[in-house]
Each structure stands twice: as structure tokens, then as C-alpha cells.
């Protein structure tokens, strides 16, 4: 999201009239002559949805002034540089259930629809204890078999989702199960 304030003075130093809109320019390098017009807006802000994380972009803005059949543009704003980072965790896994059968606990949950999902982690705790991750590598499918579950215990399972950047979701709602 790009945001700015309207120019206060014209090129001649007089109070600037209200702009009719703004043109937004972007460059991959920031070098003169590399800025391309990527859009227009009547008022700030401008949302640039055509970007990729971890790439550096340079932006500048020009105010547009329309009068009858003519259009004038302001000078370029100062260029700003940004390298967007993906710091957004995936949604927490939903519908986690745990069922004890045949000497193990089967944990299943609804598959994530996140486009950048890398996988899942399953955590287990007992009676308010600290949860411990059971899997060594990220799970690719929404199912896990806990063959280390012991008879006559009460376990609490939670699942987290991890994206390709390493952002971790909040834990799922707990799924509790007693073993026999």
C-alpha cells in the first residue's frame, strides 16, 4: 500500500490546486528511465497487488491536474524503496480430531487451502504439560499416527500449519483423547 499527501505548492510556489488524481510509477532498479506507469487513483492510497515477496521495488507518484481538455502532471515525488517480506502466518488448522485405536492415536484435520503451505506439525501434551512436536519433518498430508502413545494416558493434540517462508500458524483447537 502506497500512501502520500497532496502537493501543497505548485512548481511556481503558489498554493497548489487539488489534483484530479495521481499516477503511480514503479521500477525494479530505481534508475532514471526505468519507472513504468502501473496505475492511477483519484485519492491515496494505492494498492499494488502485482508484486512478489523478497523483491525490491522503487515507487514514485505524480499528481495529475485536468482543466478542460488539457492534462498536466506534477514533478516526480521522491522515490521510495521497499522490499516486501512475507510475515503472514497461515490460518490455523481446523476440525482436528484424535481417535485411539489399535494401540495408536490417529490425528486428522481439514486440509489447508493456503497457496504457500509447506506442511504441518503435530504437538502433544499431557495434563497441562508443555506441548512437544511429534514429527521430525513437516507433514504434507492432514493425517498423523502417533504410535508412541502409551496406554492409560490422557493426551491433548494440536496442529500448526507452516508456510514456505517458515511462518507458523496459531495452534489449532485442542483435540483430546484417552488411551486404554
Amino acid at each position: 500500500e502506497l500512501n502520500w499527501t497532496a502537493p501543497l505548492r505548485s512548481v511556481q510556489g503558489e498554493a497548489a490546486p487539488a489534483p484530479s488524481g495521481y499516477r503511480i510509477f514503479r521500477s525494479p532498479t530505481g534508475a532514471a528511465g526505468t519507472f513504468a506507469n502501473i496505475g492511477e487513483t483519484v485519492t491515496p492510497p494505492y494498492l499494488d497487488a502485482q508484486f512478489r515477496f523478497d523483491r525490491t521495488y522503487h515507487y514514485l507518484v505524480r499528481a495529475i491536474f485536468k482543466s478542460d481538455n488539457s492534462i498536466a502532471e506534477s514533478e516526480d515525488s521522491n522515490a521510495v524503496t521497499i522490499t516486501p517480506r512475507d510475515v503472514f502466518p497461515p490460518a490455523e488448522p481446523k476440525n482436528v480430531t484424535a481417535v485411539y485405536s489399535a494401540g495408536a492415536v490417529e490425528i486428522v484435520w481439514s486440509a489447508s487451502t493456503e497457496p504457500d503451505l509447506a506442511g504441518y506439525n503435530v504437538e502433544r501434551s499431557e495434563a497441562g504439560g508443555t506441548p512437544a512436536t511429534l514429527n521430525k519433518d513437516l507433514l504434507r498430508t492432514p493425517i498423523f499416527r502417533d504410535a508412541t502413545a502409551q496406554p492409560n494416558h490422557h493426551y491433548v493434540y494440536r496442529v500448526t500449519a507452516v508456510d514456505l517462508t517458515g511462518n507458523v500458524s496459531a495452534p489449532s483447537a485442542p483435540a483430546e483423547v484417552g488411551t486404554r
Side-chain angles (χ1 to χ4, degrees):
E1 178 177 305
L2 299 166
N3 215 331
W4 60 91
T5 56
L8 300 175
R9 300 268 172 223
S10 70
V11 175
Q12 293 83 18
E14 302 167 358
S20 304
Y22 300 90
R23 290 188 176 140
I24 315 315
F25 296 82
R26 184 176 76 186
S27 165
T29 65
T34 64
F35 284 88
N37 185 344
I38 60 168
E40 293 188 14
T41 184
V42 175
T43 60
Y46 179 82
L47 298 176
D48 180 6
Q50 303 300 314
F51 73 94
R52 290 195 176 144
F53 288 116
D54 299 317
R55 280 199 178 163
T56 300
Y57 297 98
H58 307 268
Y59 294 92
L60 59 84
V61 177
R62 293 181 193 154
I64 304 168
F65 301 92
K66 296 180 182 177
S67 177
D68 299 322
N69 291 333
S70 60
I71 297 176
E73 283 186 347
S74 71
E75 294 182 7
D76 293 346
S77 68
N78 291 328
V80 295
T81 303
I82 186 168
T83 305
R85 303 279 186 229
D86 180 358
V87 296
F88 308 100
E92 65 199 46
K94 303 286 186 205
N95 305 315
V96 177
T97 59
V99 177
Y100 179 72
S101 68
V105 176
E106 299 283 341
I107 303 100
V108 295
W109 57 94
S110 298
S112 172
T113 58
E114 301 278 342
D116 63 342
L117 180 76
Y120 307 96
N121 284 314
V122 174
E123 301 173 343
R124 180 183 76 192
S125 63
E126 274 190 87
T130 303
T133 302
L134 298 178
N135 50 297
K136 291 179 184 174
D137 298 318
L138 288 176
L139 304 171
R140 303 281 184 199
T141 58
I143 187 168
F144 182 77
R145 180 178 170 83
D146 180 8
T148 66
Q150 298 295 312
N152 302 312
H153 282 73
H154 183 84
Y155 293 113
V156 178
Y157 292 91
R158 301 184 317 178
V159 180
T160 58
V162 181
D163 70 16
L164 294 171
T165 311
N167 298 309
V168 180
S169 75
S172 67
E176 299 185 30
V177 65
T179 60
R180 300 183 285 286

